[in-house]
Amino acid sequence: SNELRVKKFIELFEMQTSAITESKIMIKMGASHVMKGTSFYGVKDIGNYLSEKNPGKTFHLGIFPADGFQNMYIPFRDESSKRTQISSTFSKGIINLARRVIPGEGYVVIDVDSIRKEISSSKTDLDPDLDKILEGFDAILLIPQSTPNTIIE
């Protein structure tokens, strides 16, 4: 189950970082894992755990492409099924937002706190996934094109 997976993931994280004395740790993972609140998979993942453990001391950056492809972890399937077009895996809301605000070939960083306040005061109906993104991240980096990584041998 996703809950058990997250629990084991957090236990491993705590075990691996218990000896670290520095005040800052950077974690690079998939967006659903690092967001605050409930993830796209319906669980409170490591990002939420860290946010609750360190109130006001975490910064959650979501990186979302407007177009291209990504690799997905899909157990028991061949490699070709893991390469997925962005439009088939992301919320239409985030894709539409990205396409509106990315200038040409550029990248855009959005301070989510500023637009979150505006949206909450206007009571606008949002795409549920876009609403979750705006609640789960402090900022989002929108990139024009995504190319999945490949194994380097």
Side-chain angles (χ1 to χ4, degrees), residues 1-123:
S1 77
N2 282 331
E3 290 87 4
L4 180 59
R5 183 171 168 251
V6 169
K7 182 179 179 221
K8 293 293 184 186
F9 192 37
I10 290 170
E11 287 173 6
L12 180 62
F13 174 81
E14 286 296 330
M15 188 174 68
Q16 296 291 324
T17 60
S18 62
I20 295 176
T21 57
E22 289 83 20
S23 61
K24 295 183 182 183
I25 296 174
M26 181 179 167
I27 298 173
K28 180 201 172 289
M29 305 173 96
S32 195
H33 296 294
V34 299
M35 66 193 309
K36 297 178 275 189
T38 305
S39 74
F40 295 112
Y41 305 109
V43 297
K44 294 191 176 201
D45 217 310
I46 186 118
N48 188 71
Y49 168 77
L50 292 172
S51 180
E52 289 179 352
K53 184 177 176 185
N54 305 287
K57 296 182 179 180
T58 60
F59 183 81
H60 301 256
L61 174 67
I63 302 173
F64 298 96
D67 206 353
F69 293 87
Q70 72 175 14
N71 286 334
M72 295 183 68
Y73 177 71
I74 306 173
F76 313 114
R77 291 213 185 149
D78 64 28
E79 289 299 314
S80 64
S81 69
K82 296 179 184 181
R83 181 182 166 121
T84 308
Q85 189 159 12
I86 294 300
S87 62
S88 67
T89 58
F90 278 12
S91 139
K92 297 287 184 226
I94 194 68
I95 291 172
N96 291 336
L97 174 65
R99 289 186 178 149
R100 277 196 312 250
V101 300
I102 294 176
E105 298 294 316
Y107 291 65
V108 175
V109 176
I110 298 174
D111 174 8
V112 175
D113 286 336
S114 62
I115 60 174
R116 188 183 302 128
K117 290 173 189 160
E118 183 179 323
I119 288 172
S120 66
S121 67
S122 67
K123 303 292 183 207

Side-chain angles (χ1 to χ4, degrees), residues 136-153:
F137 296 99
D138 299 301
I140 53 178
L141 170 62
L142 299 175
I143 60 176
Q145 188 77 18
S146 173
T147 305
N149 64 340
T150 57
I151 297 173
I152 299 172
E153 295 184 33

